[in-house]
């Protein structure tokens, strides 16, 4: 291509006719993450059908989520919302006894203007279980943004004083203390001294527990203590957030949560690239260190060593191109990592671009492109899938990262695809998991390498051109 | 409001989309918020469809709520018309558009002025009908639209085909084994010397629909899809229809006899008795199977059946009438058509259950403890929990229910497939039971034993906890790799740090 090279990232916005998951899908990973929660999605059969099919086998594992399926009487207000919700929530309390019920508002509750935020506090005091309201609907949000709405609502529930909570926790952990009786106060004190003296840091973003452990350990190596994590394993363990605490995001789609933490909880946001890929992980740690005035140690070697271990995979993708159709907001971070791996990225489709929250990541992407000597990608917000497919036909990228609706049809036309949703569910954060990202990215290339001599690239008959 | 975890039939728009995307060159535009186009994922994944699903959404977002969606919907229709040149665009309402109560019919009329393709609004009420009913009514709507259009233009062909012919109605996308059933039915018709006039909706072009009246009769394969269209064609053109699903040996014979009666009334003069006899006794293996010793062993075994009307009714009859199995209860989730089901099965089972509540079905299974279940994917999971084998006979289904191999449920090959399904379900159950009595497979120990001995290496409590978070099926591998890594570096204690260092080192 002989297009003039732009020296800054270009941003475009298309029609928003694109495929993505409904944001209510966040219940699937959040109910697993927050072990004592129950998610009640207040919507219609359409929402239920989506969850049932998108979550596949998980639906059979007696999940801690359910639909409050609205019927005609609810829509026309013949039934009283408050009484109906009370009846269902009491049933949930009886059957599951959760520590929190999260109400997920949907398109329908928006349109009929059901006042969930108003009903929740009343019902909460009546039934004695916290009710958190998140309006994760398809009118306003895409896919992973669902988690953002839930965490933003949870942020309001984080305790604001250390002392009271600690006392309470100690009381609750009496048995554990009995078991640990050998461990004296001195041990705890020495543990504390491993850390540098810095203001409390709370990380936000839901990650699988092993990844939480890994990232916490990475920061521990730099002497940084993670005081808490939003969300924690249990609702009852939500971290303390006092005015002046520092917070850092681990995922690019958490802009509402970040805003809430800054504006409502008066925390200070550390704007960093996200810890995806060894480059991102290093930049993330470095930024946190720099805010606390700590000189990072050993990161050079650590990053180099990870890159070295990735070489066999990078060999497969170096010089190849990747096209992101866009559906989960991880696109910019993944693109930046893949550029560093030697790929070119003609287009990054993304549902929504918060240039402030992602500022550090965007700068890092730009810098990475310059350093690798590749053209800057065009970033297309609210993409139009039809137009994108025409561009894919023109550009013939080596890999398209896309939703399942387009993956099989593109494969049948000889275009390699990777299903984007897998990046949301796989473990991709930190140094340790960089290989897992490449495992996903290279899988179609490795598979198709195995098949390449069979002459089975194009498996649809030429379409008649009109 | 209703507390629900699982539903047997999807929302109405899914039915409409199944019909629209079954036809050739028909495009559906959903009036829906972002994320409601999940239908495309299902079609692309379950059917492994090579082509793009001809369904797009006209997105309802905040702006639409404020301004109304007329402009956007009309734009999207005319745009799709220009891009893809479909014959027909079906504007599909969703639960969201039902509440917005915009005048979608008016948008359709506006758009029609500018499009080459026909445009119609699927006439389904989201809060009153489900996927199955909506599919039936959308098919009827499309048929009626094109019959009337042809009539207005004077293009409706007159007279019948020269030889006896049939319209096969009800084969659709995402239907349970529909593709295989379609092939089997065409083969059956060829055997019977009957020409296939139109198969719809799957693979049909809307231009063919005006030819529907040329067939001698309509054949509605499944109870759920096509009855409305068949009744319409009967009313308009006096076309008789056959609505006996040829599933199982006896029903297939009954269906063929009904066809014979129908075309002989129009002067065909055919006699299929010998064909039925020959197929039943010597070609299909099912009649012989029911006589064989294998099947004798199944006599009086308890089974339960649950599914849609067509499949649950047919299975109940096959189990009870053709195999001598004791069907304790049979049930359907097609509540709107429950009377038909009761009438079909009541003499073949002890009890009839009509419900769309999966917990009620789960409890009913646990209560009777059958030796085998024939149901949907949900019942398969109940079976797993209770250790009872299950054969899947109806939607909702998963990808494994869209086999690549030839597996019809109808016709004579269908009877063979069903015999296998039934027999395999029961023998697996027996085998399991015997294993339990005799103390299990003797290979069990060898399979689960780790390769490296639990030896010198100590796992810290934290690392052990971390290890337990690893999914069971790879835990052994992770453990072995970690221990190998630790040994190579002569660590004698495995901490969480060592675990992740090992992961990084082996790159897995």
């Amino acid at each position: 291509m002989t297009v003039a090279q732009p020296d800054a990232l270009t941003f475009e916005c298309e029609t928003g006719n694109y495929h993505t998951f409904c944001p209510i899908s966040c219940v699937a990973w959040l109910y697993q993450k927050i072990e004592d929660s129950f998610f009640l999605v207040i919507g219609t059969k359409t929402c239920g059908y989506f969850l049932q099919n998108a979550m596949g086998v998980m639906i059979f594992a007696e999940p801690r989520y359910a639909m409050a399926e609205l019927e005609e009487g609810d829509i026309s207000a013949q039934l009283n919302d408050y009484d109906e919700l009370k009846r269902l929530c009491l049933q949930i309390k009886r059957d599951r006894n959760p520590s929190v019920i999260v109400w997920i508002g949907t398109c329908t509750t928006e349109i009929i203007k059901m006042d969930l935020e108003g009903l929740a506090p009343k019902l909460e005091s009546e039934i004695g279980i916290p009710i958190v309201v998140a309006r994760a609907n398809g009118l306003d949000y895409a896919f992973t943004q669902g988690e953002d709405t839930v965490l933003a609502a949870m942020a309001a529930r984080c305790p604001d004083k250390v002392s009271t909570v600690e006392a309470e926790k100690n009381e609750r952990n009496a048995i554990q203390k009995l078991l640990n009786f050998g461990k004296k106060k001195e041990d705890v004190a020495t543990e504390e001294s491993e850390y540098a003296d810095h203001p409390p840091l709370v990380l936000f973003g839901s990650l699988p527990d092993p990844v939480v452990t890994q990232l916490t350990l990475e920061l521990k190596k730099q002497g940084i203590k993670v005081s808490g994590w939003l969300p924690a394993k249990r609702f009852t363990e939500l971290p303390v957030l006092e005015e002046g605490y520092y917070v850092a995001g681990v995922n690019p789609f958490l802009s509402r949560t970040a805003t809430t933490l800054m504006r409502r909880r008066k925390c200070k946001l550390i704007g960093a690239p996200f810890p995806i890929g060894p480059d991102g992980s290093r930049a993330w740690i470095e930024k946190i260190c720099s805010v606390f005035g700590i000189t990072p140690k050993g990161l050079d070697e650590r990053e180099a060593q990870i890159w070295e271990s990735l070489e066999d995979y990078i060999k497969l993708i170096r010089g190849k191109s990747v096209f992101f159709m866009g559906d989960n907001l991880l696109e910019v971070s993944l693109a930046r990592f893949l550029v560093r791996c030697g790929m070119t990225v003609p287009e990054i489709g993304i549902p929504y671009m918060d240039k402030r929250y992602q500022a550090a990541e965007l700068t890092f992407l730009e810098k990475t492109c310059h350093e690798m000597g590749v053209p800057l990608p065009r970033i297309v917000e609210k993409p139009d899938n039809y137009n994108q497919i025409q561009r894919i036909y023109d550009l013939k990228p080596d890999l398209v990262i896309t939703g399942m609706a387009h993956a099989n049809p593109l494969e049948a036309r000889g275009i390699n695809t990777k299903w984007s949703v897998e990046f949301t569910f796989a473990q991709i954060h930190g140094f340790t998991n960089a290989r897992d990202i490449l495992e996903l990215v290279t899988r179609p290339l490795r598979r198709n390498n195995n098949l390449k001599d069979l002459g089975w690239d194009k498996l649809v008959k030429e379409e008649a051109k009109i | 409001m209703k507390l629900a975890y699982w539903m047997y039939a999807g929302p109405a728009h899914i039915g409409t989309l199944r019909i629209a995307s079954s036809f050739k060159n028909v495009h559906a535009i959903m009036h829906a918020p972002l994320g409601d186009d999940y239908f495309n994922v299902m079609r692309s994944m379950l059917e492994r469809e090579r082509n793009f699903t001809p369904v797009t959404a006209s997105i309802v977002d905040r702006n639409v709520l404020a301004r109304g969606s007329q402009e956007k919907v009309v734009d999207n229709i005319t745009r799709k018309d220009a891009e893809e040149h479909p014959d027909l665009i079906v504007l599909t309402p969703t639960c969201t558009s039902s509440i917005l109560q915009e005048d979608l019919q008016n948008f359709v009329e506006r758009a029609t002025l500018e499009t080459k393709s026909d445009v119609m609004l699927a006439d389904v009420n989201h809060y009153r009908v489900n996927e199955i009913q909506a599919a039936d009514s959308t098919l009827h709507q499309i048929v009626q639209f094109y019959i009337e259009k042809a009539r207005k233009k004077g293009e409706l062909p007159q007279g019948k085909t020269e030889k006896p012919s049939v319209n096969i109605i009800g084969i659709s996308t995402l239907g349970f084994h529909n593709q295989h059933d379609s092939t089997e039915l065409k083969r059956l018709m060829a055997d019977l010397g009957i020409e296939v006039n139109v198969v719809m909706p799957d693979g049909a072009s809307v231009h063919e629909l005006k030819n529907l009246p040329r067939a001698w009769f309509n054949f509605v394969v499944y109870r759920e899809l096509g009855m409305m269209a068949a009744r319409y064609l009967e009313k308009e053109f006096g076309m008789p229809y056959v609505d006996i699903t040829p599933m199982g040996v006896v029903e297939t014979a009954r269906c063929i006899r009904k066809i014979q009666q129908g075309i002989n009334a129009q002067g065909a003069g055919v006699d299929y008795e010998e064909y039925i006899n020959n197929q039943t006794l010597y070609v299909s293996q099912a009649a012989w199977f029911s006589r064989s010793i294998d099947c004798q062993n199944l006599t009086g075994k308890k089974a339960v059946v649950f599914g849609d009307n067509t499949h649950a009714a047919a299975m109940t009859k096959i189990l009870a009438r053709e195999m001598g199995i004791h069907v304790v209860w049979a049930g359907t989730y097609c509540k709107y058509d429950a009377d038909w089901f009761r009438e079909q099965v009541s003499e073949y089972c002890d009890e009839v259950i009509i419900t769309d509540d999966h917990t009620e079905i789960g409890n009913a299974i646990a209560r009777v403890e059958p030796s085998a279940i024939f149901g949907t994917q949900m019942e398969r999971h109940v079976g797993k929990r209770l250790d009872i084998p299950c054969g899947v006979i109806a939607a909702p289904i998963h990808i494994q229910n869209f086999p690549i191999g030839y597996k019809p449920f109808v016709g004579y090959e269908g009877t063979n497939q069903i015999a296998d399904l039934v027999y395999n379900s029961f023998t697996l159950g027996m085998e399991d039971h015997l294993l339990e009595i005799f103390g299990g497979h003797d290979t069990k120990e060898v399979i689960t034993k780790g390769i490296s001995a639990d030896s010198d290496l100590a796992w810290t409590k934290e690392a052990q906890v971390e290890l337990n978070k690893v999914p069971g099926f790879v835990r052994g591998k992770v453990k072995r790799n970690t221990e190998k890594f630790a040994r190579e570096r002569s660590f004698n204690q495995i901490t969480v740090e060592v675990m992740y260092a090992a992961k990084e080192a082996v790159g897995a």
Side-chain angles (χ1 to χ4, degrees), chain B residues 44-57:
Chain B
S44 180
M45 251 175 123
L46 298 180
E47 298 226 309
R48 288 180 210 89
E49 182 53 58
R50 299 176 197 214
N51 287 310
F52 292 99
T53 302
V55 173
T56 42

Side-chain angles (χ1 to χ4, degrees), chain A residues 15-23 38 40 42 44-50 52-57 59-60 62-63 65-72 74-75 79 81 84-85 87-88 91-92 95-96 107-108 110-112 114 135 137-142 180 209-211 213-214 217-218 220-221 233 302 305-306 309 382 384 386-387 389 393 404-410 412-413 419 427 431-433 435-436 459-460 463 466, chain B residues 1-14 18 25 30 32-53 56-65 72 76 79-80 82-85 94-100 125-131 174 356 358 377-382 384-385 396-399 461-462 466 469-471 496-497 499-501 503-508:
Chain A
T15 61
N17 280 332
Y18 64 101
H19 166 76
T20 183
F21 273 16
C22 174
F38 191 98
L40 184 68
I42 305 163
T44 61
K45 247 184 168 17
T46 305
C47 314
Y49 195 67
F50 164 70
Q52 168 174 330
N53 286 294
M55 297 315 131
V57 291
I59 198 92
F60 302 110
E62 308 233 340
Y65 68 79
M67 292 291 309
E69 194 184 312
L70 301 170
E71 292 164 302
E72 209 166 3
D74 298 303
I75 305 298
L79 296 168
D81 297 338
E84 291 295 298
L85 284 168
R87 186 170 56 80
L88 300 192
Q91 190 183 337
I92 292 165
D95 295 348
R96 309 290 181 105
C107 303
T108 310
E110 288 297 312
I111 296 170
I112 64 175
M114 193 185 278
R135 293 155 54 157
N137 62 71
L139 294 171
D140 301 306
Y141 306 108
N180 289 348
D209 294 336
V211 183
T213 313
Q214 288 158 12
L217 283 173
E218 275 323 328
K220 188 179 169 190
K221 282 183 195 157
K233 268 170 81 81
R302 181 116 175 88
Q305 171 206 345
I306 297 290
S309 72
K382 287 170 168 283
D384 184 293
Y386 183 86
N387 296 343
I389 285 166
Y393 289 158
M404 199 62 218
H406 298 112
N408 269 338
L410 286 171
R413 284 159 182 76
W419 185 29
Q427 303 188 355
F431 288 114
T432 316
N433 296 309
R435 198 176 169 84
D436 295 49
L459 294 155
V460 280
E463 285 150 277
I466 308 171
Chain B
M1 260 178 230
K2 197 167 83 181
L3 198 61
Y5 302 88
W6 167 269
M7 64 186 83
Y8 286 102
H13 71 268
I14 298 287
R18 278 178 53 195
N25 214 24
M30 301 167 69
L34 196 64
D36 273 4
D37 59 352
Y38 191 72
F39 177 79
N40 298 31
V41 176
M42 289 181 62
R43 186 154 184 271
S44 180
M45 251 175 123
L46 298 180
E47 298 226 309
R48 288 180 210 89
E49 182 53 58
R50 299 176 197 214
N51 287 310
F52 292 99
T53 302
T56 42
S58 176
I59 304 281
V60 178
D61 57 16
R62 285 282 160 193
N63 292 332
V64 165
L65 290 192
K72 203 168 181 182
N76 277 313
R79 181 183 158 191
K80 204 37 78 182
E83 282 167 359
E84 309 256 316
H85 315 287
T94 59
C95 56
T96 309
S97 52
S98 288
I99 328 169
L100 287 175
N125 180 325
H126 229 272
Y127 293 92
R128 304 218 170 134
V129 298
N130 65 19
E131 167 188 353
L174 290 174
D356 54 7
H358 73 94
Q377 278 291 339
M378 191 68 209
E379 283 67 52
R380 192 173 72 83
H381 282 265
V382 174
K384 253 174 153 175
R385 204 174 58 210
I397 38 186
H398 283 172
I399 194 151
K461 217 168 70 194
E462 292 78 21
E466 205 62 18
K469 289 179 196 158
V470 176
V496 180
E497 283 90 344
M499 250 185 101
Y500 287 113
K503 181 177 192 272
E504 285 162 25
V506 299

Side-chain angles (χ1 to χ4, degrees), chain B residues 116-131:
Chain B
K116 284 209 189 70
S117 62
D118 298 312
V119 187
M120 75 164 59
L121 172 68
D123 184 17
V124 290
N125 180 325
H126 229 272
Y127 293 92
R128 304 218 170 134
V129 298
N130 65 19
E131 167 188 353

Side-chain angles (χ1 to χ4, degrees), chain B residues 361-399:
Chain B
I361 292 301
N363 292 340
I365 293 172
R367 167 166 56 87
V368 305
E369 290 187 42
S371 312
I373 307 166
F374 297 92
T376 71
Q377 278 291 339
M378 191 68 209
E379 283 67 52
R380 192 173 72 83
H381 282 265
V382 174
K384 253 174 153 175
R385 204 174 58 210
L386 302 174
D387 255 337
I388 303 170
C390 176
V392 175
I393 57 153
I397 38 186
H398 283 172
I399 194 151

Side-chain angles (χ1 to χ4, degrees), chain A residues 124-136:
Chain A
E124 178 171 323
S125 62
E126 199 169 341
I127 68 171
I129 295 180
I131 295 175
V132 171
V133 179
R135 293 155 54 157

Side-chain angles (χ1 to χ4, degrees), chain A residues 396-412:
Chain A
K396 300 189 175 54
D398 296 300
L399 180 68
V400 175
I401 295 184
T402 178
M404 199 62 218
H406 298 112
N408 269 338
L410 286 171
E411 286 284 346

